[in-house]
Amino acid sequence: MIQQTKIYNEKIERVIENINKVIIGKEEVASLSLVALLTDGHVLLEDVPGVGKTMLVRTLAKSINSDFTRIQFTPDLLPSDVTGVSIYNPKELQFEFRSGPIFGNIILADEINRTSPKTQSALLEAMEEKSVTVDGETKQLQKPFFVMATQNPIEYEGTYPLPEAQLDRFLLKLKMGYPTFGEELEMLHRTSSTHPIEAIEAVMTQADVLQAQEEVKQVYIDHSVKQYIINLVTRTRENSSIYLGVSPRGSIALMKAAMAYAYISDRDYVIPDDVKYLAPFVLSHRIILTSEARYEGISGEDAIASIIKSTHVPIRKDTAE
């Protein structure tokens, strides 16, 4: 397995290199997006327009030679616009199903909070069950299946905030952030003639992704590290600044994310630092703060960081001495 893992790790590194050619200075976001992909999870990308969210998803799709579809969420979008619809064929005297954009490999759900809760819920079954139900018939989605949803944290007029049940479906919540002066200058150089995404070639196949997903499941995670995850999650349910703590689904998500992060780090075992690093990305959107905490300006990331700082990290005795 170790030799096979190294082969796939090299391919994963080439995917990250592809993303870095298009999105400058966002290596962390690229790596974390692959963590979600390898755990069969999904990403919520919250940031202002124009920082490269769409380009990130397009580059990832081209790098693994997968079908890319984009769903622009608007207030008038219907669930059938996402899942597809059955249309009557008068020649065949029967209804034919026309699949919607959800039937792809890499899905960009752009500005997901601008559509109604009814349409947002059309994604729930797809993201959790990897299937959709149309006219009482369940249809399986393609594999791999990866959703990256975006939302603008600035403009809230005419938006529908995602409910807790749907936020919980996203493995990670990420932010792109503005580039530095040097990164933006390099961006201007690279896009002065042609966009670098046009030169991107596939460096991984869908079969490679599926195989890597299976290998991630074989990564070893020690009992003490699992206990560390439970301790972190339990403290979110006891913290005075948090009204609603992390559910058991969050514990499982943090464990799977740590296994995938160890895998792309060329390790077949999880260390506590993997959990500490990933916890803010996995847990911060799964909690609801009290009104007092929000008034004091405490964010979900701040609350999780405080819990991480006050939670004992498992260390071997021979290492501690």
Side-chain angles (χ1 to χ4, degrees), residues 135-148:
D135 297 333
E137 182 180 352
T138 300
K139 301 180 182 296
Q140 296 298 321
L141 298 173
Q142 303 178 48
K143 292 184 179 182
F145 177 72
F146 175 69
V147 175
M148 181 172 284

Side-chain angles (χ1 to χ4, degrees), residues 221-235 251 254-255 272 275 311-315:
I221 177 166
D222 190 74
H223 181 70
S224 62
V225 179
K226 293 179 181 178
Q227 288 181 319
Y228 178 49
I229 292 174
I230 299 301
N231 287 337
L232 288 173
V233 170
T234 301
R235 284 175 178 262
S251 305
L254 183 54
M255 178 186 69
V275 176
T311 304
H312 172 71
V313 181
I315 301 175

Side-chain angles (χ1 to χ4, degrees), residues 101-114:
I102 199 66
F103 286 85
N105 297 120
I106 309 295
I107 314 297
L108 172 61
D110 208 8
E111 294 188 291
I112 189 175
N113 59 333
R114 291 202 175 277

Side-chain angles (χ1 to χ4, degrees), residues 254 258 261-262 265 267 269-279:
L254 183 54
Y261 187 73
S265 301
R267 281 183 279 108
Y269 58 92
V270 176
I271 60 176
D273 281 347
D274 297 334
V275 176
K276 287 180 63 177
Y277 170 67
L278 292 167

Side-chain angles (χ1 to χ4, degrees), residues 49-180:
V51 293
K53 299 187 294 291
T54 302
M55 283 297 159
L56 170 65
V57 188
R58 287 184 57 193
T59 305
L60 179 60
K62 288 192 70 173
S63 297
I64 63 176
N65 195 25
S66 298
D67 294 333
F68 168 75
T69 59
R70 173 175 177 170
I71 308 173
Q72 185 66 49
F73 283 86
T74 56
D76 60 346
L77 195 73
L78 299 175
S80 59
D81 295 328
V82 176
T83 60
V85 65
S86 295
I87 299 176
Y88 184 72
N89 186 337
K91 292 184 179 180
E92 301 293 335
L93 300 178
Q94 62 182 6
F95 284 91
E96 294 180 350
F97 177 70
R98 302 291 177 86
S99 60
I102 199 66
F103 286 85
N105 297 120
I106 309 295
I107 314 297
L108 172 61
D110 208 8
E111 294 188 291
I112 189 175
N113 59 333
R114 291 202 175 277
T115 195
S116 66
K118 183 177 182 180
T119 304
Q120 290 175 2
S121 65
L123 283 176
L124 285 177
E125 181 186 6
M127 293 171 60
E128 187 69 17
E129 306 295 337
K130 305 299 186 293
S131 64
V132 296
T133 302
V134 181
D135 297 333
E137 182 180 352
T138 300
K139 301 180 182 296
Q140 296 298 321
L141 298 173
Q142 303 178 48
K143 292 184 179 182
F145 177 72
F146 175 69
V147 175
M148 181 172 284
T150 70
Q151 62 179 8
N152 186 347
I154 304 300
E155 299 176 355
Y156 283 105
E157 294 183 4
T159 62
Y160 303 86
L162 296 176
E164 176 66 21
Q166 188 160 342
L167 283 172
D168 212 26
R169 260 65 176 185
F170 291 99
L171 181 79
L172 305 172
K173 182 181 179 183
L174 306 178
K175 296 180 181 179
M176 297 283 288
Y178 285 116
T180 64

